[in-house]
Amino acid sequence: MPKFTAYDGTELAYHLKGAGEPLICLSGGPVRAAAYYGTLGGLDAHHRLVLLDLRGTGGSAEPADPRTCRWDRQTDDIEALREHLGLDRVHLLAHSVSGNLATLYAARHPLRVRSLTLIAPGARPGDGKPEQDGVVWHADGFDPEPSRAALATLQAPVLVLTASRNGGPRPLRAADLAPLFPYNGRADVHHPWLEDPGGFVRAVRAFLDPDISELDVDGVRLAYRAWGEPGAPPVVLAHGRGDDGAEWAGVGARLAATRRVYAPDFGGHGLSDWPGDYGFHRLRNELSGFIRGLGLDSVHLVGHSMGGLAALLLAAEEPELVDRLVVEEPPPPFPLVPPRPAGPRTDGEVPYDREMIIRIDAELNDPDPRWSGRLASIEAGTLVIGGGPESHVDQEALARMTGLVPGARLLTLGGGHKVHGSRPEEFLAALEEFGV
């Protein structure tokens, strides 16, 4: 167990778990060592967790003078740990009552904080017991004053994971902190890394990744990547089933020379929320909400496979949102022959919700009969890209579907189902020629 010496000579211990960018974690509750965090639901697979045992807990020494457990002295401990680790700035995570400690540190050292994650941060102001003798273990409430001070100087982003009304000993809604921070409120459990480890890890990973932005669409948090200058003409890239927005990194970087490119993770995929309710109706609505949520009037829309069919449905039902439409190997809106069998259950973690696979396959086997008729309502210029005989998609059905879209053109590039991956140069050339 590694240790370091605080400014007043107290020896403090911490635990290291995992690999990656360090995340300093402060435990909540009186006299509670950091061991209860475990791996934070598997977050250690993506970040190096630095689990600090606060004074008098776990492997850390208990000072002779209990007054050294006050908040201000413990913020010095965080600063000493930062120096010990050789970090210029830190990602800081705090649970429950340690939300006070984290925000006080942020107020005192705003330039040392890269991000602040607060999990169920204590009681509502005024609900807790008052401090006794200024000792931290008796500071039960969440004090808003450090938060206001931090807000005035803190440039780093803040994520608040709130406790549910019935799930935690001191429930707090994110709205209580909204006026205090440029916050993103997620989760609704007191120990989210235990109750919903996957959701917890996705939310924190997305928050800590500087290349990921987030947008709330009808209560579902959608993570997305963006490339290019914000004022350039917008292009939205919709990924296929089981992929996520990172799938478009190569294409997005190339298009970004002249475009502002957005690549969201659909719900149930990647770092977005996994709501458990899936289908092409939801996918279409997520695309619509995403475009409108970004404040865009209309976009060039490029969709692959599942994302291609969702893009077609959006262009048919909300034509004002789509200027140009490119769909790569979309599943035609006709019943699959033979039907797609239920896929085998895979062991281990996968970057998508398995329930999503089941729901999407069921709709592809028995699609809404109204879908094919709606394609006649598409007003955007449409290019359909086929993968040729190497693809599992029925190319004759793809041609039949193309004929239902007014003025659409079918271009067979070959390369199989994922043309943008197998033949990126030909794919990008086709987009450029089409005006995307």
Side-chain angles (χ1 to χ4, degrees):
M1 180 187 305
K3 295 187 177 183
F4 69 102
T5 302
Y7 295 149
D8 66 351
T10 303
E11 189 176 63
L12 303 177
Y14 61 96
H15 312 262
L16 295 173
K17 295 187 178 182
E21 198 168 24
L23 174 64
I24 294 177
C25 305
L26 309 177
S27 59
V31 200
R32 195 172 196 183
Y36 78 102
Y37 273 136
T39 65
L40 276 174
L43 189 60
D44 65 325
H46 309 280
H47 283 272
R48 187 163 181 78
L49 305 182
V50 182
L51 307 173
L52 175 63
D53 285 343
L54 300 177
R55 293 172 169 242
T57 72
S60 291
E62 184 171 354
D65 185 352
R67 287 175 297 180
T68 64
C69 288
R70 293 172 61 100
W71 290 123
D72 54 352
R73 188 61 59 86
Q74 294 201 82
T75 60
D76 288 342
D77 293 347
I78 301 172
E79 181 64 2
L81 176 59
R82 181 196 64 77
E83 293 179 351
H84 168 75
L85 296 172
L87 301 174
D88 182 57
R89 301 169 67 211
V90 296
H91 294 295
L92 194 60
L93 178 148
H95 175 227
S96 190
V97 72
S98 278
N100 266 332
L101 179 56
T103 50
L104 275 169
Y105 176 80
R108 294 181 67 186
H109 304 280
L111 299 182
R112 296 301 187 186
V113 179
R114 294 187 63 184
S115 72
L116 189 60
T117 299
L118 304 179
I119 308 172
R124 302 179 71 176
D127 286 354
K129 301 175 183 178
E131 286 194 19
Q132 298 176 10
D133 303 321
V135 179
V136 66
W137 312 132
H138 300 287
D140 225 7
F142 186 86
D143 183 358
E145 292 309 318
S147 303
R148 292 193 181 97
L151 180 60
T153 54
L154 182 63
Q155 300 299 312
V158 179
L159 171 67
V160 178
L161 300 168
T162 63
S164 68
R165 299 182 181 183
N166 300 316
R170 287 182 288 274
L172 173 70
R173 288 165 290 282
D176 294 319
L177 295 180
L180 307 181
F181 288 115
Y183 92 110
N184 298 287
R186 295 307 314 151
D188 50 2
V189 287
H190 192 66
H191 297 92
W193 66 92
L194 297 177
E195 285 92 344
D196 182 13
F200 171 81
V201 169
R202 287 190 296 275
V204 175
R205 281 185 63 197
F207 172 67
L208 294 179
D209 190 332
D211 295 326
I212 298 292
S213 299
E214 299 171 285
L215 184 68
D216 185 280
V217 175
D218 295 330
V220 174
R221 178 185 56 85
L222 296 185
Y224 68 93
R225 295 158 180 83
W227 302 274
E229 294 298 321
V235 177
V236 173
L237 307 176
H239 65 78
R241 188 190 67 163
D243 284 327
D244 57 38
E247 170 66 29
W248 291 109
V251 170
R254 294 281 294 274
L255 291 176
T258 58
R259 300 282 189 260
R260 176 64 169 176
V261 186
Y262 301 93
D265 294 354
F266 279 118
H269 294 77
L271 297 181
S272 291
D273 284 346
W274 295 9
D277 178 24
Y278 304 106
F280 282 95
H281 175 79
R282 174 178 283 279
L283 294 170
R284 181 204 66 205
N285 288 347
E286 285 183 356
L287 277 179
S288 171
F290 181 76
I291 294 169
R292 295 183 186 279
L294 291 174
L296 303 175
D297 294 327
S298 60
V299 302
H300 293 333
L301 183 57
V302 180
H304 172 242
S305 191
M306 176 192 77
L309 181 52
L312 283 163
L313 295 175
L314 175 65
E317 298 187 20
E318 299 183 69
E320 70 278 7
L321 290 182
V322 183
D323 283 333
R324 284 201 171 282
L325 177 64
V326 178
V327 287
E328 172 197 0
E329 284 277 298
F334 317 124
L336 292 179
V337 181
R340 181 173 292 173
R345 285 283 182 177
T346 55
D347 295 329
E349 293 187 13
V350 290
Y352 53 82
D353 190 344
R354 290 181 175 88
E355 182 63 27
M356 175 274 304
I357 297 290
I358 296 171
R359 300 285 186 90
I360 294 299
D361 279 354
E363 283 198 306
L364 292 177
N365 286 335
D366 186 21
D368 188 328
R370 295 171 294 181
W371 290 352
S372 57
R374 288 174 179 165
L375 299 185
S377 300
I378 293 177
E379 299 176 2
T382 303
L383 175 65
V384 181
I385 295 179
E390 304 99 317
S391 172
H392 67 270
V393 172
D394 184 337
Q395 300 296 293
E396 292 185 2
L398 197 61
R400 177 184 165 201
M401 183 207 74
T402 304
L404 299 177
V405 180
R409 178 165 66 98
L410 174 61
L411 175 63
T412 301
L413 294 179
H417 184 54
K418 195 172 287 188
V419 182
H420 69 271
S422 61
R423 300 193 176 176
E425 296 302 326
E426 293 93 329
F427 183 83
L428 285 162
L431 264 58
E432 182 178 10
E433 181 184 355
F434 189 62
V436 172

